[in-house]
Amino acid sequence: MAGSGVFEEIIDGDVFKYYSEGEWKKSPSGKSVSIINPTTRKPQYKVQACTQQEVNKVMETAKIAQKQWAKTPLWKRAELLHKAAAILKEHKAPIADCLVKEIAKPAKDSVTEVVRSGDLISYCAEEGVRILGEGKFLVSDSFPGNERTKYCLTSKVPLGVVLAIPPFNYPVNLAVSKIGPALIAGNSLVLKPPTQGAVACLHMVHCFHLAGFPKGLISCVTGKGSEIGDFLTMHPSVNCISFTGGDTGMAISKKAGMIPLQMELGGKDACIVLEDADLDLVASNIIKGGFSYSGQRCTAVKVVLVMESVAGTLVEKVKAKVAKLTVGPPEDDCDITPVVSESSANFIEGLVMDAKQKGATFCQSYKREGNLIWPLLLDNVQPDMRIAWEEPFGPILPVIRITSVEEGIHHCNASNFGLQGCIFTRDINKAMLISDAMETGTVQINSAPARGPDHFPFQGLKDSGIGSQGITNSINMMTKIKSTVINLPTPSYTMG
Ligand code: G3H
């Protein structure tokens, strides 16, 4: 149960505390924020409504703690991260239970998220030791006009305070994908969890606390974005922001100062299906890609662009698989669970009604109970329908029938988003040509889009984001190059 056992100290009465200066605290505001269970639609948990004063304190201690942490040997930083990863995995059950209740993630997937997060932290430790243990050595006489009188030594040094803002759909995993790289690189870390998912995040942070990280190095402030959001992202002590989420990321990019930004802001991932594709493989990938976690993944398949000649067969195969999806509460480990909020369900419904009015073919009847929306495949979607372009973040998948590959590429590239895309064909040469033409950060050949494995580069073009993620890229992004140049009085090859 949340807030019990080793997690007892993170709760006071029925309100979870926030984490600052290595301690669990109550906000002097005396206010709290309620977290609504998407399934019951009733308040499930409460977290502190932190104020700007608490943010200031957290930033002040983060700056001080970082200076010491940067001087802590790399192998010791790695050792502590490995310890946190082990503690996190040991306590996967209560953390997964929070995910079930806060974001209605199916029970098994919730456990997978926590285990994947532990593995990600350990990989950060190992990768950090490797890539931060190396630097470059340059000599001056490779540039015209220079003798060999200068030796340049470069290494990677931390940025300072990293602000991490993960989204509701992977509150733990997308938090540690920022925390792990930041800490191994010698930064301190301030976490602002999403409201839905905040309690799972607080439990995860406690695992770092139990591992024995120095006081003030990691902090976690909860509260309303409207009160502390801008204050956090525009805070002068922040040296880097890593954000995953929606449009808010664009607003942050405009307001943030001259600091490195890592932003992942959603996608409209297209699945292009050619005539020669293995349609059984396509159908299972459409189900996995389009409907897992009820479509609430930035990398979900969000539009199928299938060649007219095989469209009928493919739609029948997908329909048969949709009929087998289980729909219900996350506790029962159903495939389709309630979407995160009522406003999200209303938005999805708006897209469905627009498609209905404009004549899309409904492969199933539309059904909704509260936040629970039954999986729906919409065939014969046309470009004038909102669902052809907008990201539903729900179990609704549009199919657009195309008559040429170029038409598919054109639709994909006309999107404001450019996260991932996928192509199904047996012709690898054609797949490579299409991949080159698709304006997305990643193209998957013969598989649905996905961020993992977590050490792969992960990036979006256009409105899908800035910077590249994945463990190695994140560690590099959260460091800067420092050079030391040794100047010799005479060219070094004059002796002997
Ligand atoms: O929602 C955005 C996530 O980065 C997607 O991650 O591909 O592992 O589901 P995933």
Side-chain angles (χ1 to χ4, degrees):
M1 207 183 104
S4 62
V6 294
F7 298 107
E8 239 169 26
E9 63 178 297
I10 77 170
I11 194 166
D12 177 64
D14 64 346
V15 187
F16 283 89
K17 299 184 202 166
Y18 78 104
Y19 189 62
S20 166
E21 299 177 277
E23 287 170 25
W24 290 97
K25 297 181 179 183
K26 292 195 278 177
S27 165
S29 75
K31 292 186 189 153
S32 63
V33 177
S34 269
I35 297 169
I36 308 295
N37 180 322
T39 311
T40 62
R41 292 190 288 153
K42 295 200 170 97
Q44 179 73 46
Y45 302 125
K46 284 183 199 161
V47 292
Q48 305 292 321
C50 291
T51 66
Q52 299 184 354
Q53 281 65 44
E54 282 98 271
V55 170
N56 276 335
K57 187 71 203 165
V58 151
M59 292 296 174
E60 190 188 314
T61 49
K63 270 173 87 168
I64 297 167
Q66 190 272 327
K67 300 270 179 256
Q68 255 335 95
W69 181 242
K71 293 177 191 157
T72 305
L74 191 47
W75 66 266
K76 277 197 185 169
R77 288 186 234 153
E79 209 170 69
L80 273 176
L81 281 168
H82 280 301
K83 204 168 163 194
I87 296 171
L88 185 72
K89 282 179 162 183
E90 186 188 335
H91 298 292
K92 59 180 183 290
I95 303 175
D97 189 51
C98 296
L99 294 174
V100 167
K101 297 204 168 77
E102 285 183 286
I103 61 164
K105 185 168 274 196
K108 271 193 202 140
D109 294 348
S110 295
V111 173
T112 304
E113 174 169 346
V114 183
V115 173
R116 174 181 178 182
S117 302
D119 292 340
L120 197 158
I121 297 168
S122 292
Y123 198 103
C124 284
E126 288 163 20
E127 185 71 343
V129 164
R130 280 193 288 270
I131 65 173
L132 299 169
E134 284 182 356
K136 269 191 174 176
F137 171 57
L138 293 90
V139 289
S140 52
D141 64 334
S142 54
F143 198 86
N146 283 274
E147 296 289 344
R148 189 172 291 220
T149 51
K150 292 173 188 286
Y151 290 162
C152 178
L153 305 168
T154 75
S155 62
K156 287 172 186 150
V157 296
L159 297 175
V161 179
V162 173
L163 173 63
I165 311 180
F168 82 84
N169 62 346
Y170 283 95
V172 173
N173 185 261
L174 283 169
V176 303
S177 76
K178 305 169 190 316
I179 297 172
L183 294 183
I184 192 65
N187 299 288
S188 57
L189 194 287
V190 176
L191 174 67
K192 165 64 181 77
T195 299
Q196 305 286 143
V199 174
C201 274
L202 293 169
H203 283 71
M204 174 271 293
V205 167
H206 193 54
C207 297
F208 283 84
H209 172 81
L210 294 173
F213 279 85
K215 284 187 194 320
L217 188 72
I218 307 165
S219 319
C220 183
V221 283
T222 52
K224 290 196 174 131
S226 55
E227 275 172 37
I228 54 169
D230 280 354
F231 193 72
L232 273 163
T233 54
M234 294 164 76
H235 202 285
S237 298
V238 171
N239 304 109
C240 169
I241 303 175
S242 179
F243 173 92
T244 308
D247 295 347
T248 314
M250 289 201 198
I252 293 175
S253 317
K254 286 179 189 138
K255 290 180 201 161
M258 206 172 66
I259 54 172
L261 301 177
Q262 193 180 46
M263 299 269 159
E264 200 267 276
L265 313 179
K268 183 75 184 171
D269 294 7
C271 171
I272 300 181
V273 186
L274 305 195
E275 289 104 334
D276 69 341
D278 174 344
L279 295 183
D280 289 313
L281 178 74
V282 182
S284 36
N285 272 277
I286 286 177
I287 292 293
K288 182 174 75 147
F291 296 104
S292 53
Y293 188 36
S294 307
Q296 298 174 109
R297 296 165 54 239
C298 54
T299 50
V301 169
K302 297 207 179 94
V303 58
V304 177
L305 301 161
V306 56
M307 291 297 284
E308 178 71 61
S309 58
V310 291
T313 315
L314 179 65
V315 166
E316 284 311 312
K317 284 181 188 287
V318 177
K319 260 170 82 173
K321 287 184 186 292
V322 166
K324 288 190 187 143
L325 291 172
T326 54
V327 182
E331 286 83 355
D332 293 352
D333 209 32
C334 289
D335 299 313
I336 304 295
T337 54
V339 296
V340 72
S341 65
E342 191 173 342
S343 61
S344 177
N346 291 343
F347 174 76
I348 297 163
E349 186 163 292
L351 295 177
V352 173
M353 292 310 143
D354 174 77
K356 186 173 187 177
Q357 196 202 330
K358 292 175 182 158
T361 307
F362 279 52
C363 298
Q364 299 78 22
S365 337
Y366 173 65
K367 188 173 169 192
R368 169 181 171 187
E369 276 172 18
N371 296 344
L372 187 60
I373 295 178
W374 269 250
L376 177 62
L377 190 69
L378 297 170
D379 195 4
N380 295 304
V381 164
Q382 302 299 320
D384 67 331
M385 298 176 188
R386 288 175 56 203
I387 192 70
W389 305 104
E390 294 181 41
E391 190 182 26
F393 239 65
I396 311 297
L397 185 58
V399 176
I400 298 181
R401 297 176 176 226
I402 53 174
T403 49
S404 69
V405 175
E406 287 72 19
E407 195 185 334
I409 295 169
H410 179 263
H411 186 94
C412 167
N413 292 350
S415 170
N416 290 338
F417 291 113
L419 188 61
Q420 293 207 1
C422 59
I423 308 160
F424 285 86
T425 174
R426 288 186 168 94
D427 184 339
I428 188 66
N429 297 330
K430 220 181 237 180
M432 288 306 297
L433 293 176
I434 300 170
S435 169
D436 278 357
M438 285 169 81
E439 293 166 4
T440 60
T442 302
V443 174
Q444 305 270 352
I445 297 172
N446 291 325
S447 185
R451 171 167 48 111
D454 290 325
H455 64 305
F456 279 16
F458 179 54
Q459 54 281 314
L461 308 182
K462 300 189 276 186
D463 288 355
S464 288
I466 314 171
S468 182
Q469 301 176 62
I471 292 169
T472 313
N473 287 343
S474 292
I475 295 173
N476 284 328
M477 183 266 175
M478 291 174 185
T479 59
K480 57 191 165 196
I481 302 286
K482 169 82 190 275
S483 305
T484 301
V485 181
I486 303 167
N487 289 277
L488 305 173
T490 52
S492 64
Y493 44 67
T494 49
M495 265 193 123

